[in-house]
Amino acid sequence: METRAFQRIYTKIGQITKATCTVQATGVGYEELAMVAGKAAQVVKIIEDQVTLQVFTGTEGIPTNAEVVFMGKPPTLKVGEGLAGRFFNAYGQPIDDGPEPEGDEQEIGGPSVNPVKREQPSELITTGIAGIDLNNTLVTGQKIPFFADPDQPFNQVMAMVAMRAKADKIILGGIGLTNDDYLYFKNVFENAGALHRIISFVNTTEDPPVERLLVPDMALTAAEYFAVEKNEKVLVLLTDMTLYADALSIVSNRMDQIPSKDSMPGSLYSDLAKLYEKAVQFEAGGSITIIAVTTLSGGDITHAIPDNTGYITEGQLFLRRDTEIGKVIVDPFRSLSRLKQLVIGKKTRADHPQVMNAAVRLYADAANARTKLENGFDLTDYDERALEFAKAYSERLLAIDVNIGPEKMLDVAWELFAKYFSQAEVGMKQELMDKYWPDKED
Amino acid sequence: MKDTAQYTKGKVNGIIANLVIVKVDGPVAQNEICFIRHAGTPLMAEVIKVIGDKAYVQVFESTRGLQPGMEVAFAGHMLEATLGPGILSKNYDGLMHDLDTMSGTFLQRGEYTPSFDMDKKWSFTPLAKAGDKVMAGSWLGEVKENNIPHKIMAPFKLEGQHTLKSVAEAGEYAVKDTIAVLTDSRGEDIPVTMAQKWPVKKAVKAYQNKPRPFKLLETGVRTIDTLNPIVEGGTGFIPGPFGSGKTVMQQAISKQAEADIVIVAACGERANEVVDLFTEFPELDDPWTGRKLMERTTIIANTSNMPVAAREASVYTAMAIAEYYRSMGLKVLLLADSTSRWAQALREMSNRMEELPGPDAFPMDLPAIISNFYSRAGIVYLNNGQTGSITFIGTVSPAGGNLKEPVTESTKKVARCFYALSQQRADSKRYPAIDPIESYSKYLEYPELQKALNEQIASDWIGQVERLKNILLRGKEAAEQINILGDDGVSIDTHLTFWRSEVVDEIILQQDAFDPVDARTPMQRQKYMAEKVLSVTDTNLSFSSYEEVNPYFKRVISTLKQMNYSEFESGQFKQYEEELAQILEERKTA
Ligand SMILES: Nc1ncnc2c1ncn2[C@@H]1O[C@H](COP(=O)(O)OP(=O)(O)O)[C@@H](O)[C@H]1O
Ligand SMILES: [Mg+2]
């Protein structure tokens, strides 16, 4: 971002906070990009000739007579085929020693798709993980986060899902990614021979937090190019969106805005929705699917960040360590894919919806039995069977290391039903039980 | 019409997100609309505060690139909806611009498409004659809009009595054609076309009075109709944490309810959810008329990624359209998902204006705003004695699922039906997750409704509903006892009490919104199943140990469920009914 002749330069900075500074200037547009003493910044407030800038790298060392150069445009990304296989920082600058990208210069955070121009998502994404494909089926054009505690292997599961989903492009938005995780992703992509269809925008824990605000918009701008212009199926991975929200709160607090719940800005819902709603299925076949990570603190989903996220996304996937089997599973109770209705029993076998519900119901019975046990009560025969079922169900279907096709998942579920329960206990539509209930003799 | 040159002009003075401060050169009114000129495109905004010569306006668009000094032109009126034939089946944004006639894949700032086609011709039949005395909302004529009798009315803005000077003969007329001329008290002529404008934040008052609601509005959702019914002209709200089933519930109601007109305001929620409506409504049948659902429906979509100020406007736009159709003597159902997003939009603006915040940083006057809005619903006697109604149901999305928050609490004070969705029920997939004990319908206490229900459904209907509720309540107590004392620490009767409530829960409350048969239960069938369930819970059964109770009731429930999944009174339905009788026979005692 070198300075050019026509750019306007100002030097009267009246106010400096940790993340913002205010300069006297005219002719400046809202959301315009600027350089303050060589640091990238963006206009967040204008009152007459007082322009407040959010300085992405923080304001350390900025003097009151610093040179402020306005760029005459909001942050942009040059989009083109050449983005494929490349690694960029939050500003869209290469960090892989490759050349500057070529292509059309697009403003990031652009307008929304007209809802009538969207297509109803209907294309199944299979991951081989039954906790997802069976219970929480994903669809292209969906947006869904993993809700996970920081010590859970969410990035690993996400990388696995990304590799198995049949996406034309995978765009990684690394938001405060640890260097180790960054290298892990790079490694997985490389080993899978998938580098040519990956694009990464990465801000690591070593980079300034406010910079993170640019990462999702960069990733999604690139995604829109491939989905709209090339009709490609694009999968966007955003990890960790909790750090994105934290960065939002840093800026709004510095601007003296009245915080809402959990010191988050009152606009958190709109801010997050603007990103997640970029997930879309287009008529021409292109799509943007967003899989994100929202880390929780102590599993608390009532905190403003997961809470607002849950209200926006099309479900959430919970990871949990199942102590019975000693493995990480996709929790069937708290996880939800809201778009599964669009495909299950339609793009998958007809018994899918009922098998899914019955299994979860029986798993809930097992949870009740376990509570009884913990409270020192005797178990009934049914309770015992439910517990055994739950263990087998966890082991053979919910564990994230399971990798089988959708039909096989249903078959395994039927096998477990018949092994532990009677038809009345499973309680599905009779015609399905007549068709799929395995013969005991087999 | 005043020339626009007469109106106040101004210049942009400051920009904070979508709040713009405008320095004005003349008078401006609170809520007046203005247009900010950005690169040749006027962007619509609304005045929300005035201090001296500074007007604070919320812009209904992204403010990216706006600069101090840009020109602003005030419009001399508040935010208005254009009302006339052609509104049905349309998909609008929050400001009532037709989404289908917009040009690109992406929404473009300042692309304001007309609400409907002013040149479209309609077959008009006069309903009034020259010399008639008319006032605001009087029916002058009628056109058929998707087979619905759409009344062409004297403008809502009229004050006092007027005389109808002339009215067009039956024939084809364009919306913009003059179809009648009125004369006011000073003898001045007022031409009337089929379209009129109305400021959406003002209630249309073109009616005689608003009685208490007295008629059931059937939704086909058992837990509503049977246990806590909503009524024509009633108000209700559905609070619940995310994923508990608010949207599925509202969509079910929008598809199945016994309404002439359905207005759906998708307010700050997911775009894919309105895409569901766009995709399904043109295909699905209206169960009441057999015509396509979309024919009776108008969708106002301000999804969460659309400009936040237009979100607030969207619910008012929807209400104004509802009032327009109510004035034609129609039964209008208005649904808003979610009213919390509208409250949040108010909060964002109030924050930006640095107003003194109320609880949870919402504006102080939030309760008044909510109550004002809900009060616009209701059944009315029009000036010609006919009735029309707006039934309003809004969802509420409480932060953290905690109902002790300002939007839920303010809404609870004004909405008469409370459908509380429970996280626990949703987690165990007991859909719809309406908590049967927390929820209520105040209308059920109205003697006039009780009488109507007993006449319409069954002579002792109210008594049956009470019994079902009682069973649920006692079942809950029994479940608590079993949890504390253990299965063998309570009597067999306690187990029976619990399982009887499970029968009511599984068969009446739970309903699969995605099953073609189960999704909608007409009132006759609800009555049949309520009676069936009560006959089961009334049966005296004998067990020798508590361990027999669970497997036995699982069979009972499973068989009743099969009935729910079968076509009503079909061979299959009767077969399961027969099976149930046999199961009951096994353990029946005198
Ligand atoms: N009546 C129902 N029958 C079956 N599934 C339901 C029902 N209600 C809700 N669900 C399930 O719950 C999910 C979330 O429901 P939704 O209405 O979108 O929740 P909310 O609007 O409260 O966030 C749906 O996608 C669906 O899987
Ligand atoms: Mg919803």
Side-chain angles (χ1 to χ4, degrees):
Chain A
M1 273 172 279
E2 73 283 14
T3 53
R4 292 193 201 103
F6 60 86
Q7 289 160 340
R8 290 144 294 133
I9 302 177
Y10 298 90
T11 54
K12 270 180 107 169
I13 297 184
Q15 200 189 352
I16 306 176
T17 72
K18 256 190 186 164
T20 65
C21 67
T22 303
V23 62
Q24 191 183 355
T26 53
V28 174
Y30 195 68
E31 293 186 6
E32 189 172 330
L33 202 59
M35 300 298 284
V36 182
K39 298 174 175 214
Q42 188 175 12
V43 176
V44 289
K45 180 174 175 180
I46 305 177
I47 301 290
E48 299 185 348
D49 63 352
Q50 296 299 308
V51 178
T52 305
L53 293 148
Q54 122 190 331
V55 184
F56 292 112
T57 54
T59 50
E60 291 90 354
I62 291 182
T64 48
N65 63 349
E67 213 179 60
V68 182
V69 183
F70 289 93
M71 315 298 279
K73 60 182 184 193
T76 57
L77 176 72
K78 284 199 174 137
V79 293
E81 283 288 2
L83 289 174
R86 302 292 310 277
F87 288 80
F88 302 97
N89 67 11
Y91 306 105
Q93 296 161 332
I95 51 170
D96 56 2
D97 302 326
E100 283 283 333
E102 297 281 313
D104 268 353
E105 187 167 9
Q106 282 290 335
E107 293 184 5
I108 67 165
S112 307
V113 173
N114 181 342
V116 300
K117 301 288 163 67
R118 285 170 176 260
E119 189 81 340
Q120 191 175 41
S122 65
E123 197 175 323
L124 186 73
I125 296 177
T126 53
T127 68
I129 302 171
I132 297 178
D133 297 1
L134 178 64
N135 290 340
N136 300 291
T137 324
L138 303 184
V139 187
T140 60
Q142 183 165 9
K143 46 194 178 286
I144 193 164
F146 281 99
F147 277 1
D149 281 327
D151 59 341
Q152 282 167 335
F154 48 82
N155 281 335
Q156 285 77 347
V157 180
M158 193 156 87
M160 189 151 84
V161 168
M163 288 296 97
R164 290 187 195 160
K166 292 179 189 67
D168 298 320
K169 289 284 178 307
I170 299 169
I171 303 183
L172 173 67
I175 305 154
L177 210 55
T178 63
N179 202 48
D180 293 0
D181 279 343
Y182 169 49
L183 295 176
Y184 169 79
F185 274 110
K186 225 172 154 174
N187 221 340
V188 172
F189 297 155
E190 235 160 41
N191 289 345
L195 269 187
H196 61 284
R197 52 188 186 102
I198 312 271
I199 303 156
S200 299
F201 295 89
V202 179
N203 157 287
T204 66
T205 41
E206 291 160 22
D207 300 324
V210 179
E211 256 180 41
R212 290 169 195 166
L213 295 178
L214 292 169
V215 171
D217 274 326
M218 284 286 170
L220 291 163
T221 304
E224 273 179 349
Y225 167 75
F226 288 103
V228 176
E229 302 296 328
K230 305 285 164 191
N231 298 331
E232 291 189 0
K233 291 190 202 88
V234 185
L235 178 61
V236 178
L237 310 176
L238 299 175
T239 175
D240 166 1
M241 287 298 283
T242 297
L243 298 179
Y244 175 84
D246 286 341
L248 280 178
S249 78
I250 294 176
V251 175
S252 76
N253 288 346
R254 299 294 171 228
M255 289 178 61
D256 299 326
Q257 283 183 6
I258 307 152
S260 299
K261 204 168 164 272
D262 300 316
S263 4
M264 284 292 142
S267 58
L268 180 64
Y269 177 83
S270 304
D271 295 335
L272 292 176
K274 267 203 85 162
L275 301 175
Y276 282 117
E277 281 293 338
K278 290 276 180 191
V280 59
Q281 176 71 54
F282 290 108
E283 242 168 60
S287 63
I288 300 175
T289 308
I290 302 178
I291 300 184
V293 167
T294 301
T295 49
L296 309 176
S297 122
D300 179 16
I301 61 157
T302 64
H303 183 282
I305 300 172
D307 187 48
N308 280 283
T309 303
Y311 274 119
I312 293 163
T313 54
E314 282 142 352
Q316 60 280 333
L317 299 167
F318 270 94
L319 297 180
R320 171 165 72 82
R321 176 159 288 277
D322 184 340
T323 47
E324 291 287 302
I325 62 163
K327 284 182 182 171
V328 174
I329 64 167
V330 179
D331 189 332
F333 294 145
R334 306 206 289 168
S335 303
L336 168 72
S337 162
R338 292 164 182 266
L339 299 192
K340 62 175 185 269
Q341 273 89 244
L342 299 172
V343 289
I344 61 173
K346 296 173 189 156
K347 299 286 164 86
T348 63
R349 217 164 70 187
D351 54 327
H352 187 163
Q354 294 233 343
V355 168
M356 167 188 87
N357 283 332
V360 175
R361 194 158 19 84
L362 296 165
Y363 192 70
D365 286 348
N368 288 338
R370 198 162 300 120
T371 313
K372 272 198 208 170
L373 200 61
E374 281 158 10
N375 294 343
F377 295 129
D378 291 342
L379 297 185
T380 63
D381 164 57
Y382 179 82
D383 292 333
E384 303 276 6
R385 285 184 286 125
L387 283 175
E388 281 178 49
F389 164 79
K391 196 165 170 214
Y393 177 57
S394 223
E395 181 89 51
R396 295 190 53 195
L397 289 171
L398 298 181
I400 52 165
D401 60 359
V402 173
N403 183 8
I404 52 179
E407 296 249 327
K408 179 75 185 160
M409 293 170 190
L410 294 170
D411 292 342
V412 171
W414 281 109
E415 183 197 320
L416 299 180
F417 291 159
K419 184 160 174 202
Y420 298 105
F421 300 108
S422 69
Q423 290 202 355
E425 284 166 340
V426 173
M428 264 188 258
K429 254 191 196 172
Q430 193 57 45
E431 51 179 283
L432 292 176
M433 294 204 277
D434 291 345
K435 187 159 174 197
Y436 293 107
W437 195 265
D439 294 331
K440 284 277 181 207
E441 286 86 324
D442 283 2
Chain B
M1 263 282 150
K2 283 188 275 183
D3 188 336
T4 49
Q6 280 177 248
Y7 295 116
T8 298
K9 301 247 184 286
K11 281 198 163 41
V12 171
N13 189 255
I15 307 139
I16 311 161
N18 69 331
L19 175 71
V20 168
I21 304 160
V22 181
K23 193 162 185 263
V24 296
D25 69 0
V28 289
Q30 174 73 334
N31 295 112
E32 185 171 344
I33 291 298
C34 66
F35 292 89
I36 302 170
R37 231 180 156 70
H38 171 260
T41 309
L43 305 180
M44 206 201 253
E46 179 188 20
V47 177
I48 51 175
K49 181 165 100 174
V50 184
I51 299 179
D53 64 352
K54 302 267 166 51
Y56 290 68
V57 306
Q58 56 174 348
V59 187
F60 296 122
E61 303 283 0
S62 155
T63 51
R64 177 176 279 182
L66 291 195
Q67 294 188 6
M70 286 180 166
E71 283 175 13
V72 182
F74 287 80
H77 61 76
M78 305 208 308
L79 179 63
E80 288 181 330
T82 308
L83 303 166
I87 291 174
L88 293 181
S89 314
K90 285 274 191 321
N91 303 316
Y92 291 124
D93 72 4
L95 305 173
M96 214 179 159
H97 301 122
D98 188 349
L99 288 167
D100 287 285
T101 54
M102 291 181 188
S103 48
T105 301
F106 292 88
L107 296 167
Q108 284 164 41
R109 269 199 285 186
E111 185 174 14
Y112 301 134
T113 52
S115 302
F116 45 84
D117 184 357
M118 288 290 173
D119 294 318
K120 181 170 172 175
K121 294 217 158 160
W122 297 85
S123 170
F124 174 85
T125 318
L127 292 175
K129 53 185 190 313
D132 284 358
K133 295 284 174 222
V134 297
M135 47 194 192
S138 293
W139 299 352
L140 306 178
E142 181 179 304
V143 300
K144 282 265 184 291
E145 183 185 14
N146 296 349
N147 216 40
I148 288 158
H150 183 123
K151 304 290 187 294
I152 305 301
M153 295 172 278
F156 295 146
K157 283 181 182 170
L158 282 190
E159 277 169 28
Q161 223 177 47
H162 289 62
T163 310
L164 185 58
K165 185 176 175 190
S166 67
V167 61
E169 300 170 13
E172 300 275 312
Y173 299 90
V175 177
K176 64 179 182 198
D177 291 346
T178 298
I179 49 89
V181 179
L182 311 179
T183 319
D184 69 11
S185 53
R186 286 165 311 176
E188 292 209 21
D189 282 357
I190 303 167
V192 177
T193 69
M194 290 194 212
Q196 59 168 310
K197 292 195 181 231
W198 182 255
V200 297
K201 287 188 177 168
K202 276 193 177 165
V204 173
K205 289 271 167 74
Y207 54 78
Q208 278 178 40
N209 60 16
K210 226 184 223 184
R212 279 212 320 193
F214 50 84
K215 255 176 92 184
L216 175 73
L217 183 94
E218 189 182 316
T219 67
V221 178
R222 295 189 289 265
T223 179
I224 295 182
D225 296 351
T226 295
L227 290 181
N228 291 306
I230 183 102
V231 290
E232 276 176 33
T235 51
F237 80 118
I238 311 175
F242 63 81
S244 56
K246 299 179 294 296
T247 303
V248 171
M249 171 67 79
Q250 270 211 340
Q251 291 195 354
I253 297 172
S254 69
K255 289 173 190 166
Q256 302 168 4
E258 184 191 4
D260 299 320
I261 306 288
V262 178
I263 318 270
V264 181
C267 173
E269 293 283 309
R270 303 175 184 87
N272 277 334
E273 288 171 350
V274 291
V275 175
D276 287 345
L277 307 182
F278 297 156
T279 315
E280 292 172 14
F281 275 39
E283 305 296 325
L284 293 177
D285 292 334
D286 172 358
W288 301 93
T289 60
R291 300 176 70 91
K292 293 296 172 219
L293 269 184
M294 200 60 213
E295 294 187 31
R296 69 172 197 181
T297 310
T298 297
I299 297 166
I300 319 286
N302 175 275
T303 57
S304 58
N305 53 342
M306 286 160 86
V308 68
R311 203 184 285 169
E312 188 216 348
S314 69
V315 292
Y316 289 103
T317 301
M319 181 58 91
I321 296 175
E323 287 175 331
Y324 177 62
Y325 282 98
R326 173 173 68 185
S327 306
M328 299 176 198
L330 296 169
K331 263 190 282 189
V332 183
L333 173 65
L334 175 61
L335 300 166
D337 184 14
S338 148
T339 60
S340 293
R341 305 297 163 223
W342 151 43
Q344 283 178 338
L346 295 171
R347 176 169 71 183
E348 281 187 34
M349 291 321 296
S350 146
N351 276 216
R352 283 185 193 123
M353 292 194 295
E354 295 172 6
E355 288 178 349
L356 195 64
D360 290 359
F362 281 106
M364 286 294 211
D365 57 349
L366 182 74
I369 293 172
I370 290 178
S371 136
N372 214 307
F373 187 81
Y374 273 81
S375 72
R376 287 172 71 171
I379 188 165
V380 298
Y381 284 109
L382 301 172
N383 290 323
N384 61 8
Q386 305 276 341
T387 60
S389 64
I390 297 173
T391 308
F392 175 60
I393 304 177
T395 66
V396 172
S397 317
N402 180 0
L403 299 191
K404 289 219 173 327
E405 59 89 42
V407 184
T408 313
E409 285 177 338
S410 307
T411 309
K412 203 165 178 183
K413 285 186 197 133
V414 287
R416 309 294 286 166
C417 291
F418 174 57
Y419 301 116
L421 291 174
S422 123
Q423 180 78 64
Q424 213 186 342
R425 284 184 68 88
D427 282 348
S428 52
K429 315 281 177 217
R430 289 178 177 241
Y431 293 121
I434 293 184
D435 184 317
I437 291 164
E438 294 292 309
S439 304
Y440 57 75
S441 162
K442 291 275 180 212
Y443 300 114
L444 214 45
E445 295 162 14
Y446 291 12
E448 55 268 46
L449 182 72
Q450 294 185 348
K451 183 162 165 280
L453 291 178
N454 285 340
E455 279 167 12
Q456 184 189 340
I457 306 168
S459 56
D460 62 338
W461 180 247
I462 299 297
Q464 293 191 33
V465 172
E466 287 308 314
R467 280 168 62 206
L468 289 169
K469 288 188 169 178
N470 217 0
I471 293 170
L472 288 165
L473 199 59
R474 292 184 45 212
K476 191 179 173 197
E477 291 160 5
E480 280 160 11
Q481 276 187 31
I482 297 172
N483 271 339
I484 297 167
L485 302 170
D487 284 333
D488 50 1
V490 299
S491 66
I492 288 182
D493 271 347
T494 307
H495 283 279
L496 279 173
T497 307
F498 168 70
W499 278 101
R500 285 182 174 130
S501 79
E502 281 290 286
V503 175
V504 177
D505 190 331
E506 297 261 3
I507 305 308
I508 306 285
L509 302 185
Q510 292 178 45
Q511 190 171 4
D512 185 347
F514 304 107
D515 182 88
V517 176
D518 199 30
R520 170 173 175 261
T521 311
M523 213 55 224
Q524 262 330 85
R525 183 171 179 161
Q526 291 193 38
K527 163 185 182 260
Y528 193 87
M529 289 312 288
E531 281 168 359
K532 180 82 3 193
V533 162
L534 282 172
S535 80
V536 171
T537 56
D538 279 348
T539 309
N540 285 318
L541 302 166
S542 88
F543 294 91
S544 51
S545 100
Y546 75 85
E547 282 170 313
E548 294 167 1
V549 180
N550 171 326
Y552 179 79
F553 270 92
K554 285 244 158 97
R555 282 168 62 210
V556 170
I557 288 169
S558 167
T559 314
L560 278 161
K561 266 217 159 127
Q562 305 296 345
M563 286 175 73
N564 272 348
Y565 283 130
S566 309
E567 287 293 348
F568 190 41
E569 293 178 328
S570 64
Q572 209 185 28
F573 182 89
K574 290 190 173 134
Q575 187 195 321
Y576 288 120
E577 196 170 15
E578 185 53 38
E579 214 170 278
L580 176 71
Q582 282 166 17
I583 297 174
L584 290 178
E585 212 46 56
E586 289 171 22
R587 291 186 178 269
K588 205 172 193 168
T589 60

